[in-house]
Amino acid sequence: MNLKSILSLAITATLFLFLSCAEPNKKFNIKEFISHQLRIGVNEAETRINDQLAADDQGELRVSPRSVSEEGELNIVPSRDWTSGFFPGNLWYMYEWTGDDFWLEKAKYFTSYIEQEKYNDRTHDMGFKIYCSFGNGYRLINDPQYRDIMIHSANTLITRFNEAVGSLRSWDHNRDKWDFPVIIDNMMNLELLFWATRATGDSTYYDIAVSHADLTLREHFRPDASSYHVIDFNPETGEVQNRHTHQGYAHESAWARGQAWGFYGFVMAYRETGSKAYLEKAERIASFVFEHPNLPADLIPYWDFNAPGIPDEPRDVSAATIIASALYELSTMVNEKSGFYKKTADTILDNLEAYYLSPEGENYGFLLTQSTGHAPHGYERAVPIIYADYYYLEALLRKSSIERGRN
Ligand code: GLY
């Protein structure tokens, strides 16, 4: 054997050894991806909280990751921001999914910063903040302190109820435009009130929630089941003064996340009350969304169904995750269309996994890209936003629970 043959044999043997030792193509595992991303998110948030504490910063403590700006900066917000409950909620969902005490400890830590919101009577967003954080925590660990905080929060929320109108006031801002604005998103905050009646036996919370939902049913919807964003009522007479948008393209357009909040809200309200009118509305909203000519083939809506530049408009992944999560629940409530709702939700999740995940290790640990917060203000367009991740996790857990039940 000459030198050339020996060299060639050695190279072949080394190559064989390398190939046989190399890891076989590892299949992508969504749970591992999410765990990796959320650990990054926890690290980023803890570092920022510790930096603020070390600097003895007298300003409001910013405790919850909200979004990544279009310039690539992490936006971390104080507890009073309407999105502050979602990050702790994500950690509770991870604890539920894995049973790992790491997530329990982190969920408790980030949830503790939200407690002061129980006193905040200047917003309707109590449900988003408290139910997503303490609510998930209470469901999973039954801590009686969490229960007290939730009841206190529900009591604060119902101070915003106006008898003449029959609903909770959503916003206090823009007083020059609206006297008593009620937004479709407000349906989501009713879940805390339904829970409070179950927890205490006091029907006050339930009655307010039903009154609010019934008014929303009457006044927010157009004949095609799309919804207005903001209805402005006369606080003395309860009459409708204006039907407006705030985050949508136009007063008469269908803002995608608004359709998602309405859909999820009425599925939840049907679960809590058994009222067929709520179920019917939820199913009609689903038809509006899934039969809409401007819904893209991958089922991830543009930020507004009537945005003028479609198809060159930002998507809103958050609308898709909210809808997917509610579709799973709806699929358990009906017979004939159950399979269609479940399959549609599965398709949304498949497409999110295939096309909209953050590159692993990037985006400060956010899971999904391409959500749109407030396009008309040029704010949070096609970026990672925390509530998209929250409803994505919720949808994954609901899917898994439905499929386990079937097996
Ligand atoms: N609730 C505010 C939003 O959906 O942007």
Side-chain angles (χ1 to χ4, degrees), residues 66 82-83 124-125 128 171 183 185-186 189 229 247 255 257-258 261 316 318 322 372-374 380 387:
R66 170 178 166 138
W82 78 274
T83 65
H124 70 121
D125 286 319
F128 282 123
W171 289 329
I183 64 173
D185 327 23
N186 206 337
N189 294 306
H229 186 195
Q247 282 154 269
W255 174 50
R257 197 162 55 260
W261 291 140
D316 183 11
S318 76
I322 297 160
T372 296
H374 197 152
E380 293 178 335
Y387 41 88

Side-chain angles (χ1 to χ4, degrees), residues 93-105:
Y93 280 142
M94 275 315 278
Y95 175 57
E96 182 175 6
W97 205 4
T98 62
D100 182 339
D101 283 348
F102 171 82
W103 299 111
L104 174 63
E105 187 209 313

